[in-house]
Amino acid sequence: MAARSSFDMELEQLNLDLIKMGGMVEEAIAKSIRALEVSDTAIANEIINGDRSVDDMEKQIEARCLRLLMRQQPVARDLRAISTALKMITDMERIGDHAADIAELTIRLDSKKPLSMAQHIPEMADIATQMVRACVKSFIDNNLDQAKETIARDDEVDELFNVVRDELIKTLSGESDAEKANQAIDLMMIAKYLERIGDHAVNICEWVVFYDTGLHKETQIM
């Protein structure tokens, strides 16, 4: 009984760590878009420098998961929880990387304020951030319905990506200014990073489904 109590406490701390890491990448996405909107390179540099903290958090959670596996000999559902956490942090680390990628492009676009060419990027970022928040919460709350609803929201991000792409193609087709053409290409990359963030949120939700059901992408694992 004492061993089980200790294990449950470790799992609770694992959940808290996941919530913290989720909050870190959410903030990074929001800040990266705010930096883009107001052409603030100081915020952009803050995000780039802060990406190391996300990487450190990933390593901390990974170490906790490995300790749980080695010391506690978890049963099937507990093992799925730990496995899911390990998969989640990989995707969250990539989300943090993409936020830093957006920040780097923001620095390159310094003082250009180019969002008039792609007005739907902030909306994409807002939905992607909501998805990241929801996917972590669905794991913590063991909420399968929320995970599935979040997966479905990826269609919204994809549709907005198509809108942004069409906006930028239209801009490029009638643009002879090389500088503006380069800005449009950078904005396309930012939209692509946001689309990938949505994909990573979907990956996390698919692992939440695995945690609840033992099934992942139509294949029974355990």
Side-chain angles (χ1 to χ4, degrees), residues 53-184:
S53 297
V54 175
D55 294 344
D56 290 344
M57 196 69 200
E58 180 193 23
K59 292 173 184 175
Q60 178 180 319
I61 294 172
E62 184 179 61
R64 185 180 297 281
C65 288
L66 293 177
R67 286 198 303 271
L68 282 167
L69 289 172
M70 289 187 294
R71 295 178 184 176
Q72 301 291 352
Q73 297 182 330
V75 295
R77 187 171 178 81
D78 295 331
L79 185 58
R80 290 206 304 270
I82 297 166
S83 300
T84 298
L86 285 168
K87 295 294 185 179
M88 287 173 65
I89 59 175
T90 299
D91 280 295
M92 285 197 282
E93 189 274 335
R94 291 300 297 141
I95 290 168
D97 286 346
H98 291 324
D101 291 334
I102 292 170
E104 288 177 358
L105 288 170
T106 294
I107 292 171
R108 193 155 75 188
L109 289 162
D110 181 25
S111 300
K112 307 290 192 311
K113 295 187 178 179
L115 281 181
S116 60
M117 290 190 284
Q119 297 178 21
H120 290 83
I121 281 179
E123 186 179 356
M124 276 188 78
D126 186 49
I127 295 171
T129 304
Q130 291 174 30
M131 288 176 68
V132 172
R133 183 183 308 119
C135 69
V136 176
K137 192 172 188 300
S138 68
F139 174 72
I140 301 302
D141 297 342
N142 189 23
N143 189 330
L144 190 60
D145 288 339
Q146 186 176 36
K148 291 179 177 178
E149 288 167 6
T150 304
I151 290 171
R153 293 207 74 187
D154 192 45
D155 289 341
E156 298 177 47
V157 177
D158 291 343
E159 288 171 9
L160 284 168
F161 173 78
N162 290 334
V163 170
V164 170
R165 181 197 61 198
D166 291 346
E167 286 175 337
L168 293 172
I169 288 173
K170 184 177 179 180
T171 298
L172 286 169
S173 64
E175 188 55 66
S176 58
D177 186 326
E179 184 178 9
K180 283 193 175 181
N182 287 333
Q183 291 173 28

